[in-house]
């Protein structure tokens, strides 16, 4: 891929696709991790005296329709506090506006534009017409073949990878291709069905795979009656095949409650002790001690997903102990996924994780070994340019 840092951006109009899909509640950004990750890329373009345009999606509005709740206006206000000496504009229309070098323009949510998700050729050309250089810097959207991530790059004068995008790929390749060992992978979350391929891929390269959440429950259901705990019955046989073939660390005790509520009492039980009316919502103390001992010896750690219902304080203990154990480790650690970022923000351990990936589904697909369409597009652009020389 052509990298943004290789290009002279002076006086050029640079369109940067960022990932500003952040949680916003009552017009307040509750986690700014993805915005903060993009700031250095924007600063690099501004310092080169470029005219900078940024675009992103936010949430899941009905395509082609404006919905105030999904507007990027709160993010514009955030950026004004970061770039206090920069002229910052906001546009709801896809049209060229008069800008000076060093100015910053934020386009409204790309999903308000009809044809975005379908990679509409006319919309892609419209994006491309706004710039001299297109920069793909949204790794979190790298798996989407859409107009603002893929199509624009096919029609822009030049398309390149931004610093954040490049660093995400390099960090993941470092962990996956030649990891220092022992390599530990932690896979949490509610459904094994959405992470089956991830489990398969990580099991082949990790020395130990630690499972939590509903995924762990599905493994427990192989041998135990786990009451009304969240799990996927149709994946029990699949889980058994993975367990029997690879080194999967399954909980030996759990925190259970009788209702899915933060008010529910948390009781630590072994799997065979769980009653019909109880549900697993976190890992138990013995399970966590086993995990902490493994993490202490690790040299590479890849973490995706919480171990339990971390939104409920009584069932946050496992996830909190896991996060702090990773933060205190000397291993090269990579954490990725939306819920994982929320945990890291909540515990304020950003500086203690070696690399935090902004990607969710893109992170998973990359780890699974899938080729992301935007990477293929950027590689094709470079090849085309090289062939023209």
């Amino acid at each position: 891929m052509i990298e943004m840092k290789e290009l002279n951006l002076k006086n050029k109009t640079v369109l940067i696709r960022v990932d500003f899909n952040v949680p916003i509640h009552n017009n307040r950004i509750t986690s700014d991790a993805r915005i903060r990750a993009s700031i250095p890329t924007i600063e690099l373009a501004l310092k080169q005296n470029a005219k900078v345009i940024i675009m992103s999606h936010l949430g899941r509005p009905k395509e082609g329709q404006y919905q105030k709740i999904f507007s990027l206006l709160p993010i514009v206000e955030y950026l004004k506090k970061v770039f206090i000496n920069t002229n910052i504009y906001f546009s709801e229309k896809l049209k060229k506006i008069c800008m000076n070098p060093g100015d910053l323009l934020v386009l409204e949510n790309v999903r308000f534009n009809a044809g975005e998700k379908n990679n509409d050729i006319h919309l892609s050309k419209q994006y491309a017409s706004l710039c001299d250089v297109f920069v793909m810097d949204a790794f979190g959207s790298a798996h989407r073949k859409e107009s603002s991530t893929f199509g624009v790059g096919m029609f822009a004068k030049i398309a390149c990878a931004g610093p954040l995008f490049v660093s995400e790929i390099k960090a993941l390749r470092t962990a996956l291709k030649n990891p220092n060992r022992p390599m530990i992978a932690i896979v949490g979350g509610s459904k094994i069905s959405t992470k089956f391929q991830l489990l398969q891929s990580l099991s082949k390269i990790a020395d130990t795979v630690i499972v939590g959440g509903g995924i762990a429950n599905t493994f427990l259901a192989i041998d135990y009656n786990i009451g009304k705990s969240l799990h996927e019955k149709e994946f029990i046989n699949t889980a058994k095949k993975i367990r029997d073939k690879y080194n999967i660390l399954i909980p030996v005790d759990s925190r259970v409650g009788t209702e899915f509520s933060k008010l529910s009492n948390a009781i630590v039980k072994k799997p065979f002790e769980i009653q019909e009316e109880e549900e697993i919502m976190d890992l138990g103390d013995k399970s966590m001690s086993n995990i902490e001992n493994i993490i202490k010896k690790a040299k590479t750690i890849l973490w995706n997903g919480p171990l339990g219902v971390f939104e409920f304080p009584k069932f946050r203990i496992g996830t909190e102990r896991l996060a702090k154990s990773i933060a205190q480790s000397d291993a090269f650690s990579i954490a990725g996924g939306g819920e994982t970022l929320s945990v890291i923000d909540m515990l304020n351990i950003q500086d203690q994780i070696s690399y935090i990936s902004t990607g969710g589904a893109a992170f998973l697909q990359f780890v699974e070994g899938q080729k992301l369409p935007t990477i293929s597009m950027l590689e094709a652009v470079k090849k085309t340019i090289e062939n023209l020389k």
Side-chain angles (χ1 to χ4, degrees):
M1 299 178 291
I2 299 168
E3 294 187 27
M4 176 182 168
K5 67 180 183 180
E6 301 170 14
L7 304 175
N8 180 2
L9 304 177
K10 186 176 181 180
N11 297 328
K12 298 279 178 59
T13 300
V14 179
L15 175 62
I16 307 174
R17 176 51 160 101
V18 294
D19 184 3
F20 284 173
N21 185 32
V22 296
I24 298 176
H25 183 67
N26 291 332
N27 276 341
R28 189 177 69 86
I29 297 166
T30 56
S31 174
D32 64 353
R34 283 177 170 158
I35 304 177
R36 284 187 283 106
S38 295
I39 296 299
T41 301
I42 299 169
E43 285 178 334
L44 179 61
L46 290 173
K47 283 177 182 175
Q48 288 198 42
N49 225 26
K51 302 172 185 176
V52 182
I53 305 172
I54 56 179
M55 62 177 175
S56 175
H57 76 284
L58 176 63
R60 298 177 181 272
K62 188 169 182 180
E63 189 179 294
Q65 294 184 16
Y66 172 84
Q67 290 176 260
K68 186 178 180 181
I69 193 174
F70 296 117
S71 173
L72 264 61
L73 262 175
I75 295 171
V76 175
E77 296 306 315
Y78 178 102
L79 293 174
K80 286 179 179 178
K81 295 174 184 176
V82 176
F83 299 101
I84 53 176
N85 296 316
T86 301
N87 292 322
I88 298 180
Y89 306 97
F90 179 61
S91 177
E92 297 177 357
K93 305 287 185 181
L94 288 179
K95 63 179 181 180
K96 289 188 177 181
I97 71 166
C98 185
M99 295 173 67
N100 294 314
D103 287 351
L104 177 62
L105 169 66
V106 181
L107 298 178
E108 183 56 287
N109 192 338
V110 294
R111 289 189 174 169
F112 291 169
N113 302 322
E116 165 64 18
K117 288 186 178 181
N118 294 328
N119 190 32
D120 179 76
I121 188 170
H122 300 292
L123 181 59
S124 299
K125 287 181 176 179
Q126 205 172 352
Y127 288 138
S129 70
L130 299 175
C131 66
D132 301 307
V133 177
F134 168 66
V135 179
M136 179 56 185
D137 206 40
F139 182 77
S141 297
H143 61 299
R144 296 193 175 103
K145 193 174 181 180
E146 299 177 349
S147 285
S148 70
T149 59
F150 183 92
V152 56
M154 302 301 292
F155 298 105
K157 295 171 187 174
I158 189 165
C160 64
L164 177 61
F165 193 87
V166 172
S167 66
E168 295 254 8
I169 294 168
K170 285 182 177 177
L172 288 171
R173 283 180 177 161
T174 297
L176 298 174
K177 291 205 170 180
N178 190 25
N180 287 329
R181 297 191 179 277
M183 177 189 176
I184 310 303
I186 301 108
V187 183
S190 59
K191 293 184 177 181
I192 194 172
S193 56
T194 61
K195 295 186 179 180
F196 168 65
Q197 193 61 47
L198 176 71
L199 276 170
Q200 288 271 48
S201 299
L202 287 177
S203 297
K204 293 173 185 176
I205 60 172
D207 296 288
T208 305
V209 175
I210 297 165
V211 290
I215 294 171
N217 295 347
T218 303
F219 279 96
L220 286 169
I222 298 168
D223 298 313
Y224 305 102
N225 178 358
I226 54 172
K228 58 180 184 179
S229 304
L230 174 67
H231 70 288
E232 294 176 282
K233 291 181 180 178
E234 64 273 27
F235 273 84
I236 291 175
N237 288 335
T238 302
K240 186 178 186 302
K241 289 177 183 176
I242 296 174
R243 182 201 65 180
D244 293 347
K245 189 173 182 180
Y246 302 107
N247 187 21
I248 310 293
L249 189 71
I250 300 167
V252 294
D253 60 354
S254 307
R255 279 184 173 76
V256 304
T258 54
E259 59 177 329
F260 190 78
S261 165
K262 65 180 180 180
L263 300 176
S264 178
N265 288 325
I267 304 169
V268 177
K269 288 193 171 187
K270 294 176 181 177
F272 60 84
E273 298 173 328
I274 296 170
Q275 303 298 308
E276 286 292 343
E277 73 277 5
E278 294 175 327
E279 60 182 309
I280 299 169
M281 290 191 279
D282 194 9
L283 270 61
D285 297 325
K286 178 61 177 172
S287 296
M288 289 315 306
S289 294
N290 292 342
I291 289 171
E292 287 165 339
N293 288 333
I294 289 172
I295 288 175
K296 281 178 185 176
K297 300 172 186 175
K299 293 290 189 291
T300 303
I301 301 169
L302 194 149
W303 172 29
N304 175 258
L307 298 182
V309 188
F310 73 96
E311 298 90 344
F312 299 164
K314 293 177 185 176
F315 300 98
R316 182 183 298 161
I317 296 169
T319 299
E320 192 166 332
R321 285 179 64 174
L322 170 73
K324 289 180 177 177
S325 183
I326 295 172
Q328 291 163 9
S329 170
D330 293 328
F332 177 72
S333 54
I334 296 180
E339 287 188 324
T340 313
L341 294 183
S342 296
V343 172
I344 290 168
D345 275 356
M346 180 180 67
L347 298 176
N348 196 28
I349 56 171
Q350 297 91 338
D351 296 337
Q352 294 166 274
I353 306 295
S354 305
Y355 194 86
I356 298 173
S357 173
T358 59
F363 173 89
L364 297 181
Q365 289 183 23
F366 190 94
V367 174
E368 288 166 8
Q370 297 184 40
K371 192 64 176 281
L372 303 181
T374 53
I375 293 178
S376 298
M377 177 271 291
L378 290 168
E379 289 174 345
V381 167
K382 182 172 184 178
K383 190 173 183 181
T384 299
I385 290 174
E386 287 176 343
N387 289 338
L388 292 173
K389 289 181 179 178

